Amino acid sequence: MKFKKMMALVASTVLCVGMLAGCGSTSSSTGSQSTSSKSDKKVIGFAQVGAESGWRTAETDSIKSIPTLDSNFDLKFSDGQQKQENQIKAIRSFIAQKVDLIALDPVVETGWDTVLQEAKDAKIPVVIVDRNVTVSDDSLYKCFLGSDMEEEGKKAAQIVIDQFGKDAKLNIAELQGTVGSTAMVGRQKGFNETIKDCPNYKIVKSQTGDFTRAKGKEVMEAFLKSDGDNINVLWSHNDDMAVGAIQAIEEYGKQPGKDIFIVSCDGIKDMFQLMADGKSNAIVECNPLLGPQLLEVSKDILDGKDVERSIKSKESQFLQKDAATELPNRQY
Ligand code: AHR
């Protein structure tokens, strides 16, 4: 009896295993091609900063276009709403979903060690995009893809020097980007280092406008209220804040681009339009169209190839005289 039962059990187990094996092979080969090709896709989880500026929207669109550029890729997107804690949650969720690669555009530079270590432990490679991170162990991410923000600050300062000369007496108002972000830290550093040799250049006002139009306007209104007649130059870490500031300058009764020389970073269409209208003076370009480069570097990483540690995007600079010609070429 005991022996019979055992034989029955063995027989049914063999049958079951055979069936499962059969089922497995049937479903993966017929397994409807769409399912099998779907599961073959490489998935990138993208933890975005937020939607604070025209530049940011252009970057989001560019990176979201990855699956249309290459149908072997899928993209999971998370909007961090300018909060590091949201971005950390997004990365943890990407890890739980076992994505193939994580792209992180970090709102600020520090505070990423723990979560990047978690990604590394899960063997998920990380690419840092646009803004950089400062971590104690460089192996926590594969590479950085984006702009040289310090260089952008240097270029902005050089434009002011070329316009006014080193010995001019200038009162400069600075609209800073999000405090602690690479875009703010690097641009400020590059600008300040470049004007060091200009004895009469003074940063008379400096405050964050968090990279948004609304805050750029609000902060510029406050600058003008307290020191309006003394400001010669506005140095804005991005175009959107400068757009807001231009409104504030006009409402105050001054002519932006004439009474106050304006230089900003990014290169969005709205700012080119304002420059063509004579309301701003110079743009240092920061390229948000990072999708195609992110796709290429992701392919290389997932194919096990070595990639460069720091991949720079191509950028230019534009003066008011170039604006009308360049405007129709702008993609963002
Ligand atoms: O990190 C890039 C900066 O962030 C852009 O200059 C700005 O517009 C954005 O919000």
Side-chain angles (χ1 to χ4, degrees), residues 18-190:
M19 272 172 66
L20 279 176
C23 281
S25 64
T26 311
S27 70
S28 63
S29 59
T30 49
S32 116
Q33 275 155 4
S34 66
T35 315
S36 85
S37 69
K38 214 177 183 185
S39 63
D40 285 348
K41 287 192 183 198
K42 298 291 179 198
V43 180
I44 298 177
F46 176 41
Q48 173 62 296
V49 170
E52 73 284 2
S53 63
W55 188 100
R56 186 66 54 205
T57 308
E59 190 208 22
T60 295
D61 291 347
S62 178
I63 291 180
K64 276 187 173 175
S65 77
I66 285 178
T68 56
L69 297 174
D70 187 332
S71 57
N72 294 315
F73 278 80
D74 260 344
L75 189 97
K76 289 184 187 292
F77 176 81
S78 163
D79 177 341
Q81 298 178 337
Q82 297 247 62
K83 290 201 174 75
Q84 185 175 37
E85 72 220 57
N86 292 344
Q87 291 197 287
I88 290 175
K89 268 190 210 151
I91 295 171
R92 291 201 166 121
S93 152
F94 292 149
I95 295 171
Q97 292 173 71
K98 298 188 178 9
V99 299
D100 297 286
L101 182 141
I102 291 171
L104 166 66
D105 192 328
V107 60
V108 291
E109 289 187 353
T110 55
W112 300 103
D113 295 66
T114 307
V115 75
L116 292 186
Q117 185 64 53
E118 290 168 26
K120 190 180 173 191
D121 293 344
K123 300 199 174 11
I124 300 175
V126 174
V127 177
I128 306 295
V129 186
D130 164 38
R131 300 178 182 175
N132 216 335
V133 293
T134 306
V135 282
S136 52
D137 171 4
D138 278 351
S139 76
L140 293 181
Y141 65 93
K142 285 281 176 195
C143 64
F144 165 77
L145 161 65
S147 311
D148 184 337
M149 307 292 190
E150 204 175 313
E151 189 56 33
E152 290 173 355
K154 285 181 187 169
K155 284 182 187 169
Q158 194 54 52
I159 287 169
V160 178
I161 294 171
D162 292 345
Q163 174 72 24
F164 295 97
K166 278 192 168 179
D167 297 319
K169 189 172 178 308
L170 288 184
N171 290 331
I172 301 168
E174 177 191 29
L175 279 172
Q176 302 170 17
T178 301
V179 175
S181 67
T182 309
M184 177 264 158
V185 176
R187 287 171 186 167
Q188 183 174 64
K189 186 167 179 245

